[in-house]
Amino acid sequence: METNLISLLDSLNVNEVDELLDKNIDCKMDSKTLSRIKALTYQKIGQKSKKQVSGWLRQLAAVSAAACLLLTAGGVSGYAYYKAPVAYLDIDINPSIELGINRWDRIVSAKGYNEDGINVLKAKNVLNKKLQEGVKSIIETADEKGYLEQAEGAAVAITSVTDDTNKAEELTDLSKETIEEYAEEKKLDVEVVTEHVTLSRQEEAKQLGITPGKLNLIQKLQAFDQEIAAEDYKDASVKEIMKAVKALRKEQKANQKEKEKQTEEESGDIEASEEEKGVDAEEDKRAEEVNASEAQVKEEEASEAKKAAQQKGQAEVKRNKASETGSQKNQSAAKKEIKDTVAPLPKQNEKKNENAGSNENSKKSTGKEKIGSSQKNKK
Amino acid sequence: MVTEDSTILNLLQRQDEKGLELLMDTYAGLVYTIVHSKIHTICSKEDIEECVSDVFYELYKSSSKVNLQKGSLKAFLAVIAKRKAIDIYRKYHKQTQKVIPLDLLYELEDKGLGSSQASDYDKEETRTQIIKEIKALGEPDHEILIRKYFFEQPSKVISEAMDIKVNTIDKRISRALIKLKKLLEGEMKHGD
């Protein structure tokens, strides 16, 4: 009877089922099963849509997509590799320009550090050119704009900024040759100065808004006169800075010579005064020979005066020597320092020895510990 | 329910996957219960899940033919689920004999999904009558009977779902069957 009822209900049509089930009957099922069923159903829908695209077309799409991906990935990384500068080359005339050079000596970046530099770069594109071509084009533009035609001749500072010294020499030599060739051709009076600085200097220069090459020149200036600020020479041309350097160098040399002369003269005076005083004393002696006792006394006085004069002269010499060039002073200071450092050296050695000893001890102890621990491990 | 059905159907007819998602969220329990009851003795869990997904896929495919005035989505799904499950059951047992009347199957194949016309008018009469009788039982017997003989749930499952003791369910079923007996006996005679 029951099976009959079931079969009867199985045969209900849509209308009848709708009537029978008008009341909502709750049929629970677990969410995992539901999600599995959903996945299966979506798969069936997906299969249907996939079937619509023919097989070879799908394969072609997949292959071309893979090829595209490879090409773009390769292209992007290759371009980044090409674009990465391994060194920088600064050209300072007064236009200050910094060129980024990649591993194939191609210019991959160009930056003007001042208005003149920006103008020069604007005139001609140097990007992706070979270094020599780029430098030539820059020097040409600079010449056209009149930066090289100065009454006393122009100066160009070429500074390579890299940690690779071989690369640095290669870059500066190439650039120097190019510029000198150009100058010869055009019969220009151009002095080329090459320098090399490390990459760490670049940050320092960037903060001042100048090229590391120019900073290097200004620091040369500062070596002569510490009161010179980098800011003052920021906008000066290389020629001006070099002129200032030369002037200061001459001045220093002149100062040194003068001081040397002064010291010579002063030492000459001392000798002269000593002689005079000696003569005076002898005359005194002769004049007062009669009075022996008095003469003796006077002789003693004279010798005392002589000694005093000698001491005076020596003191003066010392003072002069003391007031001589700072370098000499520094030398003496350095000597002192050397003396100071020499003295405690044996102590340091001792300390080193001690340290070594203690190290050995510690090694031994650690060895023992290791042995101990290994023994423990064995246990 | 009708408004919800219409929105789901709209989405389905536009081939929107959201419609399928909503449909499954709402009726997966019903379809699963029907399929599970019919074939769980002969099929694995995976087969049951496969069959349930087939039911939803079929409605998704033929959503353009579905007319909500002829029946709710629930009814359509229930009918498809029954038919699919019975199909599997019959294939399994390789019964050549037609034990279960499957007029619905031919109906769907001949006239498309949702036709309510039945070939056997006598049986249609009996069916309408039995539905009336079941509905006349009142609550909770009405639900218990549907669960027991339409969803073919065991008494234990019904007791859990309705929070009624298994004993009470069995008693209520036997009492309800006595009420339906006359009708069913007549059906049996008619069938023989």
Side-chain angles (χ1 to χ4, degrees), chain B:
Chain B
M1 280 306 272
V2 178
T3 50
E4 210 175 302
D5 270 6
S6 64
T7 51
I8 293 172
L9 191 65
N10 265 333
L11 288 168
L12 284 175
Q13 282 168 348
R14 272 185 274 140
Q15 304 275 301
D16 194 332
E17 283 189 12
K18 249 188 202 171
L20 192 63
E21 179 85 20
L22 277 168
L23 185 77
M24 287 194 281
D25 279 337
T26 319
Y27 298 117
L30 173 101
V31 175
Y32 188 82
T33 308
I34 291 168
V35 174
H36 179 265
S37 304
K38 277 271 174 248
I39 60 170
H40 77 274
T41 50
I42 54 163
C43 287
S44 69
K45 207 179 164 186
E46 286 75 28
D47 289 335
I48 294 167
E49 283 164 12
E50 178 71 33
C51 181
V52 173
S53 82
D54 271 344
V55 172
F56 285 110
Y57 179 57
E58 179 144 347
L59 193 91
Y60 176 82
K61 252 196 329 190
S62 49
S63 57
S64 56
K65 292 178 195 164
V66 174
N67 185 350
L68 283 179
Q69 280 174 334
K70 285 181 180 170
S72 64
L73 285 178
K74 177 165 72 177
F76 276 103
L77 283 170
V79 170
I80 299 169
K82 284 257 178 199
R83 179 167 59 87
K84 288 250 179 213
I86 290 162
D87 237 16
I88 291 168
Y89 189 86
R90 283 186 61 209
K91 266 181 195 167
Y92 181 79
H93 287 286
K94 289 180 183 171
Q95 287 172 325
T96 46
Q97 229 180 318
K98 207 171 150 191
V99 177
I100 304 150
L102 278 173
D103 47 351
L104 184 82
L105 185 66
Y106 304 123
E107 204 180 280
L108 288 169
E109 279 167 1
D110 294 341
K111 292 161 193 172
L113 199 71
S115 170
S116 60
Q117 268 192 319
S119 53
D120 196 334
Y121 288 98
D122 289 338
K123 280 193 176 175
E124 192 189 53
E125 210 178 295
T126 325
R127 292 199 300 262
T128 325
Q129 250 186 313
I130 205 114
I131 290 163
K132 259 189 196 173
E133 291 281 340
I134 290 170
K135 286 182 100 174
L137 288 171
E139 291 305 335
D141 294 358
H142 165 61
E143 191 178 328
I144 293 169
L145 262 267
I146 290 172
R147 280 185 184 274
K148 186 81 186 175
Y149 296 108
F150 188 78
F151 292 135
E152 297 175 57
Q153 285 177 327
S155 301
K156 204 188 164 192
V157 176
I158 300 171
S159 105
E160 278 164 12
M162 295 180 75
D163 201 20
I164 300 169
K165 278 181 185 172
V166 179
N167 274 350
T168 322
I169 283 169
D170 286 339
K171 270 179 202 168
R172 282 185 176 273
I173 286 171
S174 58
R175 255 184 256 153
L177 280 180
I178 293 163
K179 283 182 190 173
L180 298 172
K181 204 178 178 182
K182 273 185 186 175
L183 193 77
L184 285 165
E185 275 173 350
E187 166 67 15
M188 275 174 81
K189 277 172 192 169
H190 191 89
D192 293 333

Side-chain angles (χ1 to χ4, degrees), chain A residues 237-254:
Chain A
S237 71
V238 172
K239 186 75 197 174
E240 282 165 2
I241 298 172
M242 282 178 55
K243 236 168 96 181
V245 171
K246 279 174 187 169
L248 278 170
R249 204 175 276 163
K250 271 184 186 175
E251 206 179 297
Q252 203 188 32
K253 275 184 182 172

Side-chain angles (χ1 to χ4, degrees), chain A residues 140 143-144 180-189:
Chain A
E140 265 172 9
D143 186 21
E144 280 164 22
E180 281 174 349
E181 269 174 31
Y182 180 82
E184 252 178 61
E185 209 177 286
K186 297 268 173 179
K187 289 173 183 170
L188 288 165
D189 179 16

